[in-house]
Amino acid sequence: MVDKALSRQEFKCNSIDQIEEVAGQILKFASGINIWLFEGEMGAGKTTLIKAICKQLNVEDTVNSPTFSIVNEYQNNSGSTFYHFDFYRIKEEEEAIEIGVYEYFDSGNLCFIEWPSKIENLLPEKVLKIDISVTGKEQRSIEICRYE
């Protein structure tokens, strides 16, 4: 991934009630990018934001963190497929290669990745990076950057 973002945007989320609005804005900003990286400390709201994004995409499946399965597959009511990864528990990038991470990335489907730093060397250059910072009990700062 290149050092400089092509463009960036920041959102302040003062309560969980605003998360769906932010999800809609992220979808507009991310147009044309299929690999989305979610950064943030444990409990920052990565999975919560992914759930809100999936709701905006009309995903019918139950969205939850694939902490133990590493990847979950979801579909929406139009038949589109989305992949949700959680690499928190992997110890080496080889584990991601073994599950076929490149095939997922090359599928053209949206891929939501929690803990992307665990597979940093495997990531393509064209990504959307979403940094979530805890700024209060329910408050979050969400910065999104396009890298191409």
Side-chain angles (χ1 to χ4, degrees):
M1 188 167 41
V2 294
D3 290 336
K4 292 192 179 191
L6 228 69
S7 59
R8 71 180 65 230
Q9 201 168 4
E10 188 171 351
F11 301 96
K12 301 292 183 197
C13 204
N14 293 314
S15 74
I16 193 72
D17 298 334
Q18 295 177 306
I19 198 75
E20 285 188 38
E21 180 184 332
V22 170
Q25 293 298 318
I26 291 171
L27 281 163
K28 289 177 189 172
F29 183 82
S31 180
I33 297 181
N34 294 332
I35 309 300
W36 296 18
L37 314 178
F38 291 80
E39 295 278 5
E41 64 187 65
M42 187 77 72
K46 296 179 292 294
T47 302
T48 300
L49 182 54
I50 292 169
K51 285 180 184 181
I53 291 166
C54 286
K55 184 175 181 182
Q56 294 281 319
L57 293 168
N58 298 312
V59 168
E60 298 176 331
D61 300 310
T62 301
V63 176
N64 54 36
S65 182
T67 304
F68 294 100
S69 61
I70 301 178
V71 62
N72 286 346
E73 180 178 317
Y74 312 125
Q75 288 197 330
N76 68 7
N77 55 9
S78 301
S80 296
T81 301
F82 308 92
Y83 300 111
H84 180 187
F85 299 87
D86 184 335
F87 290 115
Y88 181 74
R89 296 193 183 282
I90 71 165
K91 294 181 181 17
E92 296 179 14
E93 289 180 342
E94 185 65 32
E95 294 174 64
I97 294 169
E98 288 172 4
I99 67 158
V101 75
Y102 289 126
E103 287 82 8
Y104 288 109
F105 292 172
D106 292 340
S107 71
N109 297 318
L110 279 178
C111 294
F112 307 121
I113 304 170
E114 296 187 49
W115 303 101
S117 59
K118 297 279 198 151
I119 62 158
E120 191 170 22
N121 296 316
L122 307 180
L123 296 170
E125 286 189 23
K126 185 176 180 179
V127 298
L128 182 79
K129 185 177 178 191
I130 301 164
D131 280 305
I132 305 171
S133 301
V134 177
T135 57
K137 184 175 180 181
E138 286 192 27
Q139 294 81 27
R140 302 293 186 266
S141 174
I142 302 170
E143 181 181 49
I144 55 176
C145 300
R146 292 178 66 100
Y147 293 88
E148 299 185 53

